Amino acid sequence: MNIVVCVKQVPDTATERKLRSDDNTLDRDAADGVVNELDEYAVEEALKLKEAHGGEVTVLTMGPGKATETIRKALAMGADKAVHLSDDALHGSDALSTSYAMAQALNKVGFDLVVLGSESTDARTGVLAAMLAERLGVAQLTLANKVDVDGTSITIQRITDYGYDRVEATLPAVVSVVEKINEPRYPSFKGIMAAKKKPVETLAIGDASIDPSQVGLAAAWSEVVDFAAAPPRAAGTIVKDEGDGGAKAAEFLASKKFI
Amino acid sequence: MTVDRLLPDQDAKDLIDLTREIADKELARRVDEHERAETYPDGLFATLGGAGLLGLPYPEELGGGGQPYEVYLQVIEELAMRWAAVAVATSVHTLACFPVHAYGTPEQRERWLPDMLAGRLIGGYSLSEPQAGSDAGALTCKAERVETGYRITGNKAWITHGGIADFYALFARTGEGSRGVSCFLAPGTAEGLSFGRPEEKMGLHAVPTTSAHWDGAVLAGDRLIGEEGQGLQIAFSALDSGRLGIAACATGLAQAALDEAVAYAKERQTFGKRIIDHQGLGFLLADMAAGVDSARATYLDAARRRDAGLPYGRQASVAKLVATDAAMKVTTDAVQVFGGYGYTREFRVERYMREAKIMQIFEGTNQIQRLVISRHLAK
């Protein structure tokens, strides 16, 4: 089975994240880049599927040159090879144009199954899996917390408020995963060393037949018009409990219309 | 605080990054709970082994990491910064692999080392006895030759990972005198081997230390490592390396105490300013930093000598002495920086101070280190 895992480099959520003042896009130099956490679960699931069914795991990422660090991490975990879609023309792409560019790259690379995290910690749109499936004309199986493949049929389990849905489809398909699906492995030291020798193919937009007029900031359907830092938190109210603490807490909650 | 390390190459930097990631996620998050409840962290050593951290200074052909001591010890130090007991057990495991690697036959190495170095088999080191600690030559545990191998009878003491480890580097007497001790690779499940109740220790609570009772257990002949009578030579050559491991543990522990103390001293205000800005406290912290840095420099010097194939026994003893005394002083001073809070179990520095004490005692007391150093001087 030819599995492609889409991974994204995101700014570390533990550090302060900023937007750029010149074009209102993410300032990727302001914070350390790390693998989007849910994508690590996607890599783990892809590796498990490969271990169970054979085949190959290819990592696909779209991002600037720095994103190679993220590719190395996925390769160190055990993926076989990587494709890095990187082109200045892609800067500022929104979810729609990202899905277009990624779909073009996926068509070039070829796949039986595409696995990705259900959302990223930076943009948090959570729509890429659905958009990719639509563009690729294949089944979408989103928010999976369990994946089973049997021949060419694939079944996922999706947790819902009332229990879970079982969703079945025929390969090829796109699956997005949630964090309950597995426990991502750590890379091993040997894996890190081996990753340095694994092939990474870099694609510019022309290599993936991506129309430059459909990507980048200019082609984006959504636009960040303005942004501001979150206001500092106002000082809290300290209530001294003199036997009436419960009543005072209730009064406070009522004043905020919580109760 | 992240220690700015001088490392030989990119591979070593990647290894330290991996160690930090695992140590932050698996050690730092679990340490308080396990040290307080005195419970063993199930599965943790399997994780460390899976990541390749349990066989770092051994050859890659046998499943090790092929790393010089200079790098391996800094990994131990990073572990110790989060969890001293785990770092100590990792150092002991690495030490327990030493006899088979250095003195085993090619068959013995191929049979056991890959599983040991991958951490699928966890090792303990069993040299001490109730009446034979510093004076290891006084050990009395017997290994009698029988038709199928060696029958082991006697008592061993102070075994890190006792009762949990899968194998023990065991030293027992096959004859008289200092040339009458032999080394064995004993399985933890040997029939006739039982373990005492875990010792009630001052610190390092999460990994048990036990005695072992050998009641005529028979070890197959191929469990003898090296020649009969070569045991003490093996034990002492292993200990030079083991002392460096403990020096690295002590340095990591001291670094952790310094980090906690500095963070607190920047936050805590008295007389209208941060306590770090009072010269009395600032100088105390400066001395602590000097203690940590000199501990690190000293063990790294010994490690680099070892890596270069130079004699390093004296330097290993100096490193163990300097680093563990520094850890005791730095952790004690960290409690001082915290004042009354430092004396409570709310804060980690209290635990650090308890953990530092054993470092001056095990793998050769600091008095034994001075003996080794002074004998080198008298040569």
Side-chain angles (χ1 to χ4, degrees):
Chain A
M1 189 166 40
N2 185 5
I3 308 170
V4 180
V5 197
C6 302
V7 299
K8 183 181 186 184
Q9 188 177 50
V10 295
D12 192 343
T13 50
T15 57
E16 194 191 351
R17 293 170 290 173
K18 290 180 185 155
L19 297 184
R20 277 163 51 157
S21 54
D22 56 346
D23 65 0
N24 296 359
T25 62
L26 181 67
D27 187 348
R28 294 184 191 275
D29 296 326
D32 286 340
V34 297
V35 183
N36 177 47
E37 197 180 336
L38 278 171
D39 297 347
E40 289 189 25
Y41 294 80
V43 173
E44 176 65 34
E45 199 58 25
L47 294 174
K48 281 190 166 155
L49 288 169
K50 176 193 156 176
E51 282 155 13
H53 303 283
E56 196 174 48
V57 175
T58 305
V59 180
L60 171 64
T61 198
M62 170 174 141
K66 197 180 153 190
T68 47
E69 298 159 16
T70 288
I71 290 175
R72 289 288 168 210
K73 171 94 188 257
L75 292 175
M77 286 172 75
D80 300 288
K81 60 191 175 67
V83 176
H84 184 181
L85 179 58
S86 185
D87 199 306
D88 290 344
L90 294 165
H91 171 75
S93 295
D94 64 359
L96 268 177
S97 38
T98 297
S99 69
Y100 162 68
M102 294 282 285
Q104 292 297 97
L106 282 163
N107 277 326
K108 178 172 165 62
V109 172
F111 62 91
D112 299 312
L113 180 64
V114 178
V115 189
L116 65 167
S118 57
E119 66 175 33
S120 61
T121 55
D122 54 355
R124 302 201 64 179
T125 60
V127 293
L128 197 67
M131 288 179 170
L132 275 181
E134 188 63 24
R135 290 196 186 270
L136 295 166
V138 302
Q140 57 160 306
L141 304 136
T142 53
L143 305 170
N145 76 333
K146 192 170 186 296
V147 177
D148 287 306
V149 173
D150 186 4
T152 58
S153 95
I154 177 165
T155 309
I156 67 139
Q157 189 169 292
R158 177 194 295 147
I159 295 282
T160 64
D161 290 341
Y162 45 86
Y164 63 87
D165 291 334
R166 250 172 65 98
V167 189
E168 286 181 27
T170 304
L171 295 177
V174 174
V175 172
S176 76
V177 303
V178 297
E179 76 282 357
K180 287 194 181 71
I181 194 165
N182 57 41
E183 192 58 53
R185 68 195 68 185
Y186 289 105
S188 69
F189 181 46
K190 282 192 182 65
I192 290 171
M193 306 278 271
K196 294 177 183 179
K197 299 188 187 98
K198 290 178 180 174
V200 179
E201 184 188 1
T202 305
L203 298 181
I205 57 169
D207 302 322
S209 313
I210 294 167
D211 175 357
S213 72
Q214 291 195 47
V215 293
L217 198 55
W221 283 57
S222 59
E223 183 188 359
V224 177
V225 179
D226 197 10
F227 66 89
R233 280 191 203 174
T237 310
I238 294 170
V239 176
K240 196 169 179 203
D241 186 8
E242 289 163 333
D244 57 351
K248 282 185 177 163
E251 261 170 45
F252 174 78
L253 290 172
S255 76
K256 298 285 177 194
K257 298 197 164 51
F258 283 119
I259 53 173
Chain B
M1 213 185 65
T2 308
V3 177
D4 186 10
R5 298 188 180 281
L6 202 56
L7 293 162
D9 53 28
Q10 188 58 43
D11 290 345
K13 289 182 185 133
D14 292 341
L15 173 60
I16 292 291
D17 284 345
L18 173 69
T19 304
R20 284 175 175 157
E21 182 188 355
I22 294 175
D24 284 340
K25 288 188 184 158
E26 303 290 333
L27 273 58
R29 287 181 191 170
R30 296 171 74 181
V31 55
D32 296 326
E33 175 202 336
H34 284 283
E35 285 297 327
R36 197 162 289 153
E38 309 200 9
T39 49
Y40 184 72
D42 286 322
L44 182 57
F45 286 91
T47 302
L48 296 178
L53 303 186
L54 294 184
L56 286 173
Y58 295 102
E60 288 173 84
E61 309 85 81
L62 292 163
Q67 289 303 297
Y69 254 62
E70 173 188 5
V71 175
Y72 153 67
L73 291 175
Q74 297 196 68
V75 168
I76 291 287
E77 194 201 320
E78 288 284 340
L79 297 177
M81 283 170 68
R82 279 75 164 193
W83 197 339
V86 170
V88 167
T90 301
S91 173
V92 169
H93 167 79
T94 309
L95 174 71
C97 298
F98 179 90
V100 185
H101 173 253
Y103 294 88
T105 62
E107 293 75 30
Q108 288 174 320
R109 294 168 63 157
E110 274 159 37
R111 181 172 164 199
W112 288 306
L113 275 178
D115 282 340
M116 291 157 69
L117 299 182
R120 289 186 290 272
L121 296 178
I122 296 294
Y125 198 75
S126 191
L127 173 64
S128 294
E129 295 185 2
Q131 303 303 328
S134 293
D135 183 8
L139 68 85
T140 58
C141 181
K142 261 191 317 190
E144 296 165 285
R145 237 185 214 281
V146 292
E147 205 174 313
T148 52
Y150 293 88
R151 175 179 289 126
I152 314 290
T153 314
N155 293 306
K156 307 300 282 187
W158 310 120
I159 305 162
T160 298
H161 249 140
I164 290 181
D166 301 295
F167 71 90
Y168 298 89
L170 169 72
F171 296 87
R173 198 162 272 294
T174 43
E176 297 301 313
S178 64
R179 293 182 188 276
V181 174
S182 301
C183 176
F184 300 89
L185 184 75
T189 51
E191 201 168 323
L193 165 64
S194 59
F195 294 91
R197 220 161 59 89
E199 304 291 346
E200 293 181 25
K201 293 175 291 185
M202 185 188 283
L204 305 184
H205 287 150
V207 177
T209 303
T210 72
S211 57
H213 180 62
W214 291 88
D215 189 14
V218 175
L219 300 180
D222 62 4
R223 293 271 173 177
L224 173 72
I225 306 298
E227 305 289 326
E228 259 190 34
Q230 212 180 359
L232 280 184
Q233 182 199 340
I234 297 174
F236 291 143
S237 65
L239 280 178
D240 279 345
S241 306
R243 280 165 187 164
L244 289 179
I246 296 308
C249 287
T251 305
L253 180 62
Q255 178 72 52
L258 172 66
D259 290 347
E260 297 271 352
V262 168
Y264 183 76
K266 284 179 176 172
E267 203 178 89
R268 169 82 172 170
Q269 307 253 343
T270 58
F271 304 105
K273 55 183 176 183
R274 305 183 305 172
I275 61 173
I276 197 170
D277 295 325
H278 292 293
Q279 197 180 59
L281 249 291
F283 277 16
L284 186 67
L285 291 163
D287 283 345
M288 290 164 69
V292 174
D293 287 7
S294 56
R296 183 176 298 121
T298 311
Y299 87 65
L300 283 175
D301 176 64
R304 287 172 183 140
R305 291 181 63 86
R306 186 188 194 281
D307 294 334
L310 297 170
Y312 68 100
R314 175 188 151 187
Q315 287 80 2
S317 282
V318 170
K320 200 273 180 183
L321 174 65
V322 166
T324 60
D325 280 357
M328 193 70 247
K329 181 164 189 328
V330 169
T331 55
T332 305
D333 288 344
V335 170
Q336 192 71 21
V337 170
F338 274 71
Y341 292 109
Y343 197 63
T344 70
R345 298 206 167 179
E346 282 291 293
F347 294 90
R348 285 177 172 172
V349 288
E350 173 272 341
R351 190 181 80 228
Y352 295 158
M353 186 175 160
R354 287 185 283 109
E355 289 171 337
K357 186 61 219 174
I358 188 59
M359 309 242 174
Q360 295 178 306
I361 298 171
F362 60 20
E363 305 251 345
T365 64
N366 285 6
Q367 286 67 37
I368 289 293
Q369 307 308 328
R370 289 182 174 92
L371 190 71
V372 171
I373 298 162
S374 63
R375 279 182 184 165
H376 273 281
L377 295 176
K379 268 182 192 170

